[in-house]
Amino acid sequence: MFKYACLNNIAQTGLARFTADFEQTETIDEANGLLVRSAKLHDMEFSDNLYAIARAGAGVNNIPLDRCAEKGIVVFNTPGANANAVKELVICGMLLASRDVVEGVDWVRSNWNNPDIAAYVEKEKKQFAGTEIEGKKLGIIGLGAIGVRVANAAVYLGMDVYGYDPYVGIDNAWHLSRKVTHVTDINEIYKNCDIITIHVPAMDSTKGYISKEAIDMMKDGVIVLNMARDVLVDEKAMIAAIDAGKVRRYVSDFPNPTVAGHRGCITTPHLGASTEESETNCAKMAVDEMMDYLGNGSIVHSVNYPDCPLGPCEHVGRVAIFHRNATNMISRFTQIMGGAGMNIAEMTNKSKKDIAYSVFDLDSPVSAEVVEKLAAIDGVFRVRVIK
C-alpha cells in the first residue's frame, strides 16, 4: 500500500484515479508521494518515506529540484495539461490590449450613474479606439506546448506569426502550423513584431530574458505579453518604456508592486491555468505519473531525473538505483548482483546531465544485503526495491 498527501487542493476527478493500492494520508512524513500546485517546498525537510513529488502544473520553481535528486526523490510536472487554458488567456490578453477594452470598461464603470451615459458614450468612445490583431506580426518566444498552440490560433486569426525556439522539440514541431515562420535570431522578433509573447521556463538562464536592450530594439507601440513568469521580463525597464511611450501595453499574469495598477499594464491575478478543465487535466496527469512511478518505477515527465518509461515487472524482482552519472557505475552494480548469484533478466540505464537512473529486472528476489551493498557505493543516492 502506497500513501500520498496533497499539499494544495487537487481536483477530485484526478484523485479518483488512484487505485486501491493507494491511500491518502494527512501525515506528510509517512507519504510516499506528494501532490502539489503552488506550495513552497524549499524549506521543507523530506522524510525517507518520500519517493516522488508531482506538481499539478508546469512550473516547478517552488520545488528544490537538486536536493530532491540527491535524495532519490523524483519530481514530476504535467507539461501540456494546462496549455489550452494559457493559450486562451494569451489570445484574450492580445485582444484586451489591442482594443483598449480594459480602459473602456473602467470608463463605463466610472460613469455608471450618468443618466445620459448612452449619448455620452458616442462622444467619448473615440478615446478607446483600438487596433485589430488581424494582419499584425506576432512574435512568440518559446515553441513548447503553449507557444505552439498560441502560434496556431494566431494563424487562424489572420496574424503573421514568427516563432523563436532553438530547442523546439520534434513533437511540438510536428504540430506547428506551416504558416509560422521559424526564426533563428531572436532579434528579428524584437525588431519586427507588433505583439510579442514569451513562453519559456523560469531558470537562471532565462531571468530577465526580455531585457532593457531587447525592449529598446522593439517597434514603437509594441504590445508585450507575459503569461509565463514575471522574472522573465525586466519589468522596471518595461515600466520605463511604457512611461516613455515606447511600449503600448504590457500584459502580465503576475501582479507585483512594479506592475499592478500601473498605467499601460494589464495585470491578471495568475489566471493562466485557473480553469476547471485545466485543473482537472493537471490532476489526472499528476496522479497517473505518480501511480506509474510508485508501482512500476516508470519515470515520465520528470524534471530532475531522466525519463524512463517501464511496464510492469514480469520477472521475480525489480530494483531501481538513483545515482550520479559517472564511469563504472553499472559494472559495480552488476558485480554486486552477480556476486550474490542474481541473474539480470533486463536492464535499463538513463541519464540526464549529472544524474542517472538504472533499473534491473532480476530472476530472483532482491535481498536486503544486496540493497545495503548497492547503497554503500559512492555516488549512489538511493536504492529502491520495487518488486
Side-chain angles (χ1 to χ4, degrees), residues 2-6 12 15 22-27 30:
F2 295 106
K3 294 186 177 183
Y4 69 90
C6 299
Q12 287 298 318
L15 299 181
F22 294 82
E23 177 183 69
Q24 187 169 3
T25 178
E26 299 298 325
T27 306
E30 69 179 19

Side-chain angles (χ1 to χ4, degrees), residues 317-321 329-347 358-367 369-371 373-374 377 383:
R318 174 175 284 180
V319 60
I321 306 173
M329 295 298 281
I330 301 299
S331 62
R332 297 177 72 180
F333 300 156
T334 57
Q335 184 177 9
I336 289 173
M337 294 179 206
M342 304 173 71
N343 182 57
I344 299 172
E346 293 186 41
M347 184 196 81
S358 299
V359 181
F360 298 86
D361 283 1
L362 308 163
D363 287 331
S364 57
V366 184
S367 68
E369 181 181 3
V370 167
V371 170
K373 289 181 178 179
L374 291 170
I377 296 175
V383 179

Side-chain angles (χ1 to χ4, degrees), residues 10-18 276 279-281 283-284 287:
I10 305 296
Q12 287 298 318
T13 47
L15 299 181
R17 297 171 78 87
F18 276 118
E276 181 179 340
E279 292 179 5
T280 295
N281 292 339
K284 288 180 177 179
V287 168

Side-chain angles (χ1 to χ4, degrees), residues 91-161:
I91 300 300
C92 174
M94 283 197 291
L95 291 168
L96 291 175
S98 297
R99 295 297 301 272
D100 289 344
V101 172
V102 174
E103 291 79 0
V105 170
D106 288 344
W107 180 86
V108 171
R109 185 177 288 117
S110 67
N111 289 275
W112 67 271
N113 59 348
N114 184 341
D116 297 321
I117 188 171
Y120 195 33
V121 161
E122 296 306 316
K123 295 180 180 179
E124 299 296 326
K125 68 179 183 180
K126 59 181 178 292
Q127 65 179 302
F128 308 113
T131 55
E132 299 177 15
I133 63 174
E134 184 178 7
K136 298 299 188 296
K137 291 182 178 180
L138 172 66
I140 302 174
I141 303 171
L143 293 171
I146 296 170
V148 167
R149 284 176 180 251
V150 171
N152 293 343
V155 166
Y156 283 113
L157 290 170
M159 303 186 78
D160 190 7
V161 183

Side-chain angles (χ1 to χ4, degrees), residues 22-69:
F22 294 82
E23 177 183 69
Q24 187 169 3
T25 178
E26 299 298 325
T27 306
I28 294 175
D29 285 347
E30 69 179 19
N32 306 122
L34 296 179
L35 290 161
V36 304
R37 291 178 62 196
S38 58
K40 308 295 185 183
L41 306 188
H42 284 278
D43 296 328
M44 179 180 287
E45 292 296 325
F46 302 121
S47 80
D48 291 338
N49 294 319
L50 185 63
Y51 298 142
I53 298 172
R55 160 76 162 97
V60 290
N61 56 325
N62 56 322
I63 303 171
L65 302 181
D66 292 341
R67 181 158 65 93
C68 286

